[in-house]
Amino acid sequence: VYKAFHQHHIEASSENLRHLLEKKIPPRIMKILVEAGKLAYDMGFSVFIVGGFVRDLLLGVENLDIDLVVEGDGIFYAQRFAEKLGVSLTVHREFGTAILNLGEQFKFHIDIATSRREYYPYPAALPQVEPAPLKEDLFRRDFTVNAMAISLNPPNFGNLIDFFGGKEDIKKRKVKVLYPKSFIDDPTRIFRAVRFEQRYKFSLDENTEKFIRKALEEKVFQRLSGTRIKEELIQILEEDRPERNIRRMHNLGILKMIHPKLSLTSRKEKTLDQLVDAIAAYEVLTGEKTRRWLVRLSVLLEDLDEQEMKNFCKRYSFTREEKRILITCSSKAKEIAEKLKSPKMKPSSIYYLLEPFPSEALILAMAKIKSKRVMKRIHFYLSHLKKITLEINGNDLKKMGYKPSPKFSYILEETKKAKLNGLLKTKEDEIEFVRKNFGKGDT
């Protein structure tokens, strides 16, 4: 039953990469790959490393994410392999895939899938899958450079399998799709093409660029759920320096398709550039990670009014909180800077001015500010004031003889102001301050 596919010799490339594998892969992992091939051979299956790993091996980029594809029953093979290695297995039966969890000492895992063809019941749908030979499995991938494989079966261990000229495209540094309707079938590949091109400093193949423009003309994004587009956008905007990606998306007309007013002007480019330092400063001063994508998106959306912003957030399934932040960033960043300009300001005034704002709005304000005084005040807030908390609370007030009342919050607020202004250091100071200013409590 399991010998669903006869073992066959693939004449797609005569090049053998065994020496390269041995040079780039730690011996303990190499041993596992050799075992993987032997087991498949004994079972009458064929097993291959596919995808990103093969590409990165040829590019000289380190990558230990190993995906195996089996011509045969991938899950049955994965179960036998897990037994042989004495490791656990996570099975996703509906996708015909399994993950070998190799444990702590290996620091990596292996994904195993049945070789399969995909067909899209309609454009932009999620694909249906069924078992198929390797060539068809590789043909359903996004770009030629991601559609190569390496055979692991003993007679031809290390043979490169390259049906679609992926190795040649790596040499030419080209991003090239496998068939003209690729972007119609899966419009998210448009984002991947841009990310890929910029990350590896490749360039879009001439026809591939034409296919992207044609797919956009056919309004393929309208067939995608807002959530999928949002996820792709986040991935791009989270990168270390996403400006080149964004400019490319602008030039290809991708931004305009997401929203007619979503654009990249030289002014916005400048802000995005200044955001790099502002984000770094925020993360260093507060020790918190920030949602870089959100503050960057707010820059791209600057030209939308509040209603358009609400519609945008609805179309792309933003959370209520994300919507609030985007609206605050676009309307309040300037205001923050203006209010912080006044010559004399107590620390408590700085604190109460900035405290209501989300971190993204403060980061955007930092990116746009020219005034040294304002910048210093925001830094002081982030590194110091934001972290100040009172040591006393309502219970302490009760112990001091105060009866619980709405006045409690006023007393605590006034005490906090004094602490922000540097007048109180210890818990004793706080208690003393309350006694002095609000009497001895109710008697």
Side-chain angles (χ1 to χ4, degrees), residues 261-265 267-273 275 293-303 326 329-330 364 367-368:
K261 282 192 178 177
L262 191 62
S263 68
L264 185 65
T265 58
R267 184 174 48 86
K268 289 180 186 177
E269 278 200 75
K270 198 172 170 212
T271 308
L272 286 171
D273 193 43
L275 271 177
W293 67 269
L294 198 49
V295 69
R296 285 166 172 159
L297 182 59
S298 77
V299 173
L300 297 179
L301 293 171
E302 268 173 16
D303 306 321
L326 286 171
C329 282
S330 71
L364 187 56
K368 292 184 164 202

Side-chain angles (χ1 to χ4, degrees), residues 302-358:
E302 268 173 16
D303 306 321
L304 276 66
D305 62 35
E306 192 164 326
Q307 193 48 54
E308 288 168 326
M309 190 77 91
K310 284 177 179 166
N311 296 343
F312 177 87
C313 290
K314 194 173 171 191
R315 160 70 176 109
Y316 296 109
S317 309
F318 284 84
T319 65
R320 205 203 253 107
E321 186 214 4
E322 288 162 352
K323 178 171 81 178
R324 181 181 64 82
I325 290 170
L326 286 171
I327 290 171
T328 307
C329 282
S330 71
S331 60
K332 296 285 194 266
K334 270 202 187 80
E335 192 183 302
I336 293 171
E338 282 308 310
K339 287 185 173 165
L340 280 174
K341 269 185 183 157
S342 53
K344 277 207 162 71
M345 270 185 109
K346 283 182 174 170
S348 57
S349 308
I350 296 172
Y351 176 87
Y352 287 108
L353 172 68
L354 296 180
E355 200 261 337
F357 290 108

Side-chain angles (χ1 to χ4, degrees), residues 92-343:
H92 299 289
R93 224 164 254 290
E94 67 279 26
F95 301 116
T97 59
I99 301 166
L100 275 183
N101 311 306
L102 291 159
E104 268 309 290
Q105 84 267 32
F106 282 105
K107 294 275 181 281
F108 83 113
H109 58 258
I110 293 179
D111 287 3
I112 298 175
T114 302
S115 176
R116 60 199 193 265
R117 74 169 62 93
E118 273 177 358
Y119 55 94
Y120 293 84
Y122 52 91
L126 291 171
Q128 308 289 309
V129 296
E130 60 193 23
L134 178 73
K135 186 171 185 176
E136 291 194 46
D137 189 279
L138 295 173
F139 186 65
R140 69 190 176 76
R141 293 169 188 264
D142 49 12
F143 312 118
T144 57
V145 294
N146 294 331
M148 294 178 284
I150 296 171
S151 175
L152 296 182
N153 279 37
N156 37 25
F157 184 95
N159 275 8
L160 174 68
I161 294 152
D162 179 14
F163 295 106
F164 313 108
K167 185 167 188 243
E168 192 51 36
D169 289 332
I170 281 182
K171 267 196 204 129
K172 292 186 195 155
R173 306 192 83 76
K174 287 286 176 200
V175 180
K176 187 175 175 183
V177 282
L178 293 155
Y179 58 99
K181 278 182 64 205
S182 179
F183 296 118
I184 306 271
D185 281 345
D186 182 358
T188 61
R189 286 175 178 161
I190 294 174
F191 295 99
R192 279 212 294 282
V194 170
R195 271 211 323 272
F196 205 83
E197 182 189 46
Q198 302 305 326
R199 184 183 305 151
Y200 289 99
K201 304 212 172 12
F202 277 35
S203 60
L204 289 176
D205 151 78
E206 199 181 321
N207 280 330
T208 298
E209 186 168 330
K210 275 188 201 142
F211 299 147
I212 287 180
R213 291 184 189 278
K214 193 165 175 3
L216 290 171
E217 268 168 37
E218 292 184 25
K219 304 209 172 356
V220 282
F221 285 177
Q222 287 177 6
R223 304 181 192 132
L224 278 182
S225 74
T227 314
R228 282 179 80 193
I229 293 179
K230 179 192 176 189
E231 280 163 6
E232 294 295 333
L233 257 182
I234 290 175
Q235 271 197 289
I236 282 179
L237 294 173
E238 267 296 314
E239 300 221 343
D240 275 344
R241 301 288 312 229
E243 296 87 348
R244 294 216 330 265
N245 283 332
I246 298 167
R247 188 179 312 122
R248 189 68 166 126
M249 284 163 65
H250 176 79
N251 293 340
L252 286 166
I254 298 170
L255 294 184
K256 205 165 69 229
M257 281 298 155
I258 296 172
H259 190 283
K261 282 192 178 177
L262 191 62
S263 68
L264 185 65
T265 58
S266 52
R267 184 174 48 86
K268 289 180 186 177
E269 278 200 75
K270 198 172 170 212
T271 308
L272 286 171
D273 193 43
Q274 288 159 332
L275 271 177
V276 176
D277 287 344
I279 289 168
Y282 179 87
E283 292 187 348
V284 167
L285 294 170
T286 61
E288 294 168 16
K289 273 264 166 265
T290 156
R291 283 176 292 188
R292 307 191 255 189
W293 67 269
L294 198 49
V295 69
R296 285 166 172 159
L297 182 59
S298 77
V299 173
L300 297 179
L301 293 171
E302 268 173 16
D303 306 321
L304 276 66
D305 62 35
E306 192 164 326
Q307 193 48 54
E308 288 168 326
M309 190 77 91
K310 284 177 179 166
N311 296 343
F312 177 87
C313 290
K314 194 173 171 191
R315 160 70 176 109
Y316 296 109
S317 309
F318 284 84
T319 65
R320 205 203 253 107
E321 186 214 4
E322 288 162 352
K323 178 171 81 178
R324 181 181 64 82
I325 290 170
L326 286 171
I327 290 171
T328 307
C329 282
S330 71
S331 60
K332 296 285 194 266
K334 270 202 187 80
E335 192 183 302
I336 293 171
E338 282 308 310
K339 287 185 173 165
L340 280 174
K341 269 185 183 157
S342 53

